[in-house]
Each structure stands twice: as C-alpha cells, then as structure tokens.
Amino acid sequence: MNLEIPYKYTEVIDLALDTIEKDKQALIFVNTKSSSEAQAERISKKNKKTNQALDILADEILNILSSPTKQCKRLSECVRKGIAFHHSGLNSKQRELIEDNFRNGLIKIICCTPTLAAGLDLPAYRTIIKDLKRFTRRGMQFIPVLEYLQMAGRAGRPKYDKIGEAICIATSEKQKEEILEMYIKGKPEKIFSKLSAEPVLRTYVLSLISTGLVNSKKQLFEFFSKTFFAHQYGDIQKMESLLLKVVDLLKNWNFINVEENSNSMFQSADSLNEENKYVATLLGKRISELYLDPYTANKLIEGLQKEQEKNDFSYLHLISNTLEMMPLLSIRKSDYEKLEEKLSLNEDYILDTDLFFDDHYYLLSTIKTAFFFEQWINEMTEDRIFEKFNVRPGEIKFKIDVADWLLFSCYELSKVLMLKSNLNVLTKLRLRLKYGVKEELMSLVKIELIGKVRARKLFDSGIKNIKDLKNIGLETLKSIVGEKTAINIKKKIQMG
DNA sequence: GGACGGTGAAACTTCAGGTTGCCTC
DNA sequence: GAAGTTTCACCGTCC
C-alpha cells in the first residue's frame, strides 16, 4: 500500500476536508467500485475528527455478517472517521445504514458510484464529480450529460442550504475546456426508446399476443405505430419487417400459433396474411407471465428437453448461459487452468452443446459463472467468494436473485412441458441457492430463525432435522446457538 | 545467519446499475 | 485507458 498520496488526488481530499471543516456534507462520484473504496480510505486517513457515535456505527457495520468480509472491515474503518463508500456491491443493510446516517448528519462524506445519483434522495451541500469518464467497449468515454445532471442535481439540500456546489474535477487544462463545453454549456442528449432492443421487443410482442391485446398482424402494426419507438424509428416498413421477424420466431418456437381465418378468401397459415389470427400457446402464455425473454425461454426449453444425464451443474450452467445472467464473471489469467479442468470434468453434463463450437472465452465465462453458483450452494463464505471470484456480497445477492428467477422459470416450463424428471431437482436447487447450503442442511434451513450459519453449527453437533431439534435439551441448544436464539427456536418448533 | 518488515516498481486485473417470478417443500 | 491491487525483489533491522 502506498501511503504517499499523488498530487492529483490531493484536491479531492482537500475539498472533502474543507467540507467537514465547514460542518457540511459531500457526495463524491467516481467511476468504479474499488475506486470509491480507495477514495474513501484516502480521505478517512486524513480526517482527524471522530466521535463515539461513529464508533458504534462502525462496529455495527463490521458485524452485519456472521463473519466480516474484507469489504466490511474496510467500510467499518472508514466510517469510524465519518467517511463511507457506497456501491452495488455492499450488503443491503450496510447500504441502508450508510444512507440513514448520511441523512442524519453523522456521516459527512460518501464516495460512491452513480448508484446514489438516481432514485435515492440523498442531497448534500457539495457534490464532487471526480470521474466524468467511464470505461466502455470503446475505451474511456465521457458519461452522458443526463448522468452528469443527475449527479450535479444532488447538490443543495432544500431545507438546509440556500445554495449547493457541484464541482467537476478535470485531469488537464484541455479536459477542463471539454467539460465546460460538454456539460456546463451543453444540452442533455435525446432519450431513446427501450423497445429498440430486441429482447425487449420480443418480450413485448409475446405479451401483447398472450394477453389478447393484439391478435393479428394488422393490430400488431397498429399498436406499434402509436409507440414512441415507431416515432423514433422513422422507417415504418423496416419496423414492420422487424415485427414480422419476431412473430415468425415466436411461431417457430411454438409460443404462438398463427391460425387461418375461415372467412378469409386467401387461406394460408403464414404470419403475413392480414386476417390470420395470432394466438398464444399455453407455453407462450406462461413464458410471458414469467417475464422471460422468449429467446431465453427457448434456450432453457431446449436444455430441459435434453435426455442426457443431468446433474446440479447442468442446470446451473443452463441458466448461466442466458442474456439475463449478463454480465458473466470475467476470467483472470490464473483462472484458465482450473476452468479448463472444470469444463472437461463436466463436459458430458453441459446441455447446450453448441457452445463447444463457439467462442471459447464465452464458454469459459459461462463455466466460471456456473462454478460460482456451485461453490455458493456448497457453502463457500462470502469472503472467500469475493477473493476467488471477485464478486462482492451485494452482487452475490443480485446474481442469486436472477438465478432463482431462472430456476423457477425452468421449473414452470418443465411443468407445462410435462418434463417431470426436472421438477424435484429444480426445487431442491432453488432452496439450496436461496440459503447457500449443501443438501444435508436443507431440512434445518427450512425452519424459521435458522439460516446457513446456524444450520451448519447444528448439523455439526449432530442435530440434523426438526425431530432432533425437538429432542434436544434447551441447555445443549443454548451452547450451540446462544441463549436467546435457542429459546426462540424452541418456541417456534413447539408452535409449528 | 535467518526471520521479518517495509518499500517501491512492475505486472496484473478490472472497469455502473439492478427490471422481472411465485406458493412449495 | 486509467486506476486499484497484487506480487516480488530488494534492503535494513533485530534477535
């Protein structure tokens, strides 16, 4: 760790310290999670002001998880000095604590990613926008003016301050001019319709047909011609051919039927015929209710229908290979060997065999993502996961939620398609995923008040299910999970 | 002499966010 | 492309 602070950082630190000196608060926007952590750390090391309330808060933050992660420790040490970092990788309780204690004035500075710019109402006297560039596929690019406005708009607290300050940090004289032109004098960019993204378009077309709002080509065109999407797209003919392409896909996947209209003079079952009727199939309806992108749904179905032998990894990999799971975990140099090994070990269990002939890097990313889920359901701790996979607690939660939704979708699709062999495995997997436990803990974890940590402790002490819990003496239980919890658990079991 | 700790440069890694599902053990 | 993090060689100190 380098304690010497390079010149270019000092102005942000000075601004932060000046804010504290004035007894005001500031938000500092940076472009990455680790940048927000490093920035908060630098400021906290320079800030001398602490107090008892901050100590209490710092301890609370440290002990939110059963075993504190590196991130918890780092955040806790910053908060001890009244400084915090805030991004999507934080545990949700920690995030809430930071927000609440910024509102009540205890925390003076938050270094954050753009999470805080939109949605959350957290005004500050001063907003410092340190990074106006962000990494994209085309390298470092200036962020949109709209985003800049969101961030700058956090400055000034209506009830407390008459003014607010939004400060941009330029890295050079040239950039200073660019920022002035683009953000201060510039206009916000136009808004674009989200429908232009194909997955969204597919989902909407299916949902329109499925709910019966649209049931012919004519109605479909009519509906879309009134949307903002059409207004922006301009070329109506091109849009119509795009829509027909989607309809054909849905038909090929058996999510909708195109039925002939018996009154029509020209009978043909294709989707082009003006008068043919679009009707969602049972499968299509379910997919629409699940909010699944039809493309993903089709992929899942193809996998679920495979008759080859499946294991847990098969399903975890199936859901990792979807648009919804993007972005997949990225691969480090040191990962390759392990991932290749994992791949060859599970080659026979992978359901989407097309992957073997495609982009190998992508294949390995799907393997790594599935591997991450597999480690999670085998009780790898959050700290270890951060270390091994570089996924922070808040991101684990997010990925798990997506996975659970997709597994549930797999379950529902299997039900509609009468693929009964998948059902039990999927239910089991979902439960294990939810708690992050091995199969042996499943019956314990189902009991209220018992999560992954307590379940593991109990199991290792020979208590393996609810019957064991009933039979065990209160004193013994106390020695395992602590006094209060033991009493509460006993109460719960007797009631249930 | 060896263990240990601090240092700094070079190599490596990563890059914001967060929609949507449901009743079953 | 830039910043943050990790790794590693090097050096001085202490026992």
Side-chain angles (χ1 to χ4, degrees):
Chain A
M1 195 186 299
N2 189 359
L3 291 174
E4 203 51 43
I5 295 166
Y7 172 73
K8 57 182 171 176
Y9 293 128
T10 53
E11 55 267 286
V12 178
I13 298 175
D14 288 344
L15 277 168
L17 295 177
D18 174 69
T19 312
I20 297 171
E21 204 51 51
K22 288 192 163 84
D23 201 26
K24 305 242 181 217
Q25 293 172 291
L27 295 173
I28 301 175
F29 287 99
V30 296
N31 61 7
T32 67
K33 290 192 267 286
S34 68
S35 202
S36 75
E37 298 182 10
Q39 185 67 60
E41 203 166 49
R42 278 192 296 266
I43 299 169
S44 72
K45 286 202 169 124
K46 289 276 171 179
N47 185 28
K48 299 280 177 280
K49 293 187 178 172
T50 57
N51 61 51
Q52 210 189 348
L54 281 172
D55 271 333
I56 295 169
L57 179 63
D59 289 339
E60 191 179 353
I61 282 171
L62 183 64
N63 295 312
I64 257 171
L65 299 171
S66 50
S67 68
T69 64
K70 253 194 302 186
Q71 188 178 258
C72 299
K73 288 176 201 155
R74 206 173 181 190
L75 182 60
S76 159
E77 282 320 298
C78 289
V79 166
R80 218 170 278 288
K81 301 287 189 66
I83 319 294
F85 53 85
H86 186 290
H87 53 61
S88 68
L90 290 189
N91 172 290
S92 60
K93 276 187 205 151
Q94 287 172 337
R95 216 187 308 181
E96 232 172 83
L97 279 172
I98 304 279
E99 289 157 17
D100 292 346
N101 285 285
F102 187 78
R103 276 199 199 93
N104 70 23
L106 192 56
I107 290 175
K108 298 295 177 196
I109 310 280
I110 300 183
C111 300
C112 56
T113 54
T115 358
L116 275 192
L120 265 167
D121 183 32
L122 269 195
Y125 168 73
R126 188 178 268 170
T127 299
I128 302 164
I129 304 164
K130 195 192 137 221
D131 299 319
L132 283 148
K133 284 190 168 182
R134 183 184 303 143
F135 183 80
T136 69
R137 264 179 255 163
R138 281 171 290 145
M140 294 303 266
Q141 297 281 325
F142 275 114
I143 58 166
V145 179
L146 276 172
E147 270 190 49
Y148 158 79
L149 289 173
Q150 279 286 355
M151 297 195 270
R154 297 292 112 196
R157 299 168 305 166
K159 279 184 216 159
Y160 307 97
D161 298 311
K162 280 192 194 123
I163 56 158
E165 293 178 359
I167 301 169
C168 294
I169 306 288
T171 53
S172 64
E173 207 48 45
K174 183 174 158 259
Q175 205 187 65
K176 185 173 137 189
E177 288 306 314
E178 286 175 325
I179 290 173
L180 199 66
E181 284 304 315
M182 177 155 179
Y183 296 107
I184 316 288
K185 296 184 191 160
K187 280 190 187 145
E189 39 285 288
K190 285 183 178 159
I191 295 167
F192 283 93
S193 167
K194 286 251 191 317
L195 275 178
S196 58
E198 274 196 49
V200 184
L201 194 64
R202 287 191 291 255
T203 310
Y204 268 85
V205 172
L206 180 61
S207 109
L208 285 168
I209 297 173
S210 154
T211 51
L213 229 58
V214 155
N215 49 38
S216 68
K217 182 180 130 186
K218 198 171 156 220
Q219 288 179 356
L220 183 69
F221 286 0
E222 258 175 29
F223 181 91
F224 275 93
S225 68
K226 291 179 204 145
T227 59
F228 179 53
F229 171 53
H231 167 74
Q232 214 161 41
Y233 206 80
D235 188 343
I236 292 288
Q237 267 190 338
K238 228 171 132 191
M239 187 187 81
E240 289 182 350
S241 82
L242 194 64
L243 285 170
L244 283 182
K245 218 178 88 193
V246 171
V247 168
D248 271 341
L249 273 177
L250 295 176
K251 191 180 136 206
N252 290 340
W253 290 332
N254 283 323
F255 300 164
I256 63 168
N257 285 325
V258 179
E259 292 169 4
E260 289 173 32
N261 187 332
S262 48
N263 300 328
S264 168
M265 285 169 60
F266 317 97
Q267 291 192 358
S268 67
D270 67 42
S271 44
L272 290 172
N273 193 321
E274 283 277 341
E275 298 177 45
N276 281 349
K277 237 185 134 195
Y278 295 169
V279 185
T281 61
L282 201 64
L283 187 61
K285 270 200 176 136
R286 198 71 195 98
I287 289 163
S288 179
E289 284 162 5
L290 290 163
Y291 280 82
L292 274 181
D293 171 7
Y295 178 83
T296 299
N298 182 250
K299 258 185 142 174
L300 294 180
I301 290 168
E302 280 177 359
L304 293 167
Q305 279 174 332
K306 285 261 165 82
E307 287 188 1
Q308 72 191 68
E309 199 187 331
K310 304 184 185 94
N311 61 8
D312 289 349
F313 196 82
S314 310
Y315 296 100
L316 295 177
H317 183 264
L318 181 66
I319 58 166
S320 299
N321 176 27
T322 59
L323 280 177
E324 284 78 353
M325 201 52 85
M326 301 288 184
L328 299 176
L329 304 201
S330 60
I331 300 170
R332 302 174 199 179
K333 266 191 182 167
S334 52
D335 285 340
Y336 276 98
E337 212 177 321
K338 184 110 202 177
L339 288 175
E340 293 289 1
E341 191 191 317
K342 191 80 199 157
L343 174 60
S344 65
L345 226 61
N346 285 283
E347 219 164 346
D348 297 338
Y349 294 101
I350 286 171
L351 301 172
D352 185 354
T353 40
D354 291 347
L355 281 175
F356 296 128
F357 311 105
D358 242 27
D359 181 359
H360 194 64
Y361 181 87
Y362 175 77
L363 170 62
L364 288 184
S365 315
T366 60
I367 297 289
K368 186 171 178 184
T369 308
F371 188 34
F372 150 76
F373 287 127
E374 195 185 59
Q375 294 287 38
W376 170 253
I377 64 173
N378 283 302
E379 299 178 34
M380 185 181 264
T381 62
E382 291 181 300
D383 207 23
R384 283 284 288 165
I385 289 203
F386 184 22
E387 208 178 289
K388 288 266 158 203
F389 294 94
N390 195 30
V391 184
R392 295 171 164 82
E395 298 163 306
I396 297 178
K397 171 90 173 45
F398 184 70
K399 280 272 185 259
I400 299 291
D401 277 354
V402 176
D404 185 51
W405 164 45
L406 291 174
L407 284 177
F408 176 73
S409 299
C410 285
Y411 180 89
E412 290 295 308
L413 293 173
S414 299
K415 229 164 58 177
V416 176
L417 294 165
M418 311 281 274
L419 302 165
K420 288 186 183 148
S421 61
N422 294 315
L423 296 180
N424 278 338
V425 199
L426 284 166
T427 310
K428 215 185 278 175
L429 260 184
R430 278 188 66 205
L431 198 71
R432 289 183 58 194
L433 197 76
K434 187 173 166 194
Y435 292 99
V437 293
K438 292 184 185 161
E439 199 170 339
E440 61 196 29
L441 296 191
M442 273 172 54
S443 50
L444 283 173
V445 124
K446 282 181 200 166
I447 302 162
E448 223 179 309
L449 297 171
I450 300 182
K452 97 189 240 181
V453 178
R454 285 174 187 159
R456 180 41 68 198
K457 276 191 191 163
L458 289 166
F459 190 89
D460 291 346
S461 320
I463 302 157
K464 305 190 172 171
N465 49 44
I466 196 156
K467 203 173 132 208
D468 293 346
L469 263 178
K470 275 182 183 157
N471 292 337
I472 194 181
L474 183 60
E475 289 311 312
T476 328
L477 191 58
K478 278 182 187 173
S479 71
I480 303 169
V481 294
E483 193 169 336
K484 274 189 184 165
T485 331
I487 296 170
N488 286 333
I489 289 175
K490 276 282 180 191
K491 261 191 211 159
K492 276 274 178 264
I493 297 173
Q494 266 146 30
M495 287 191 323

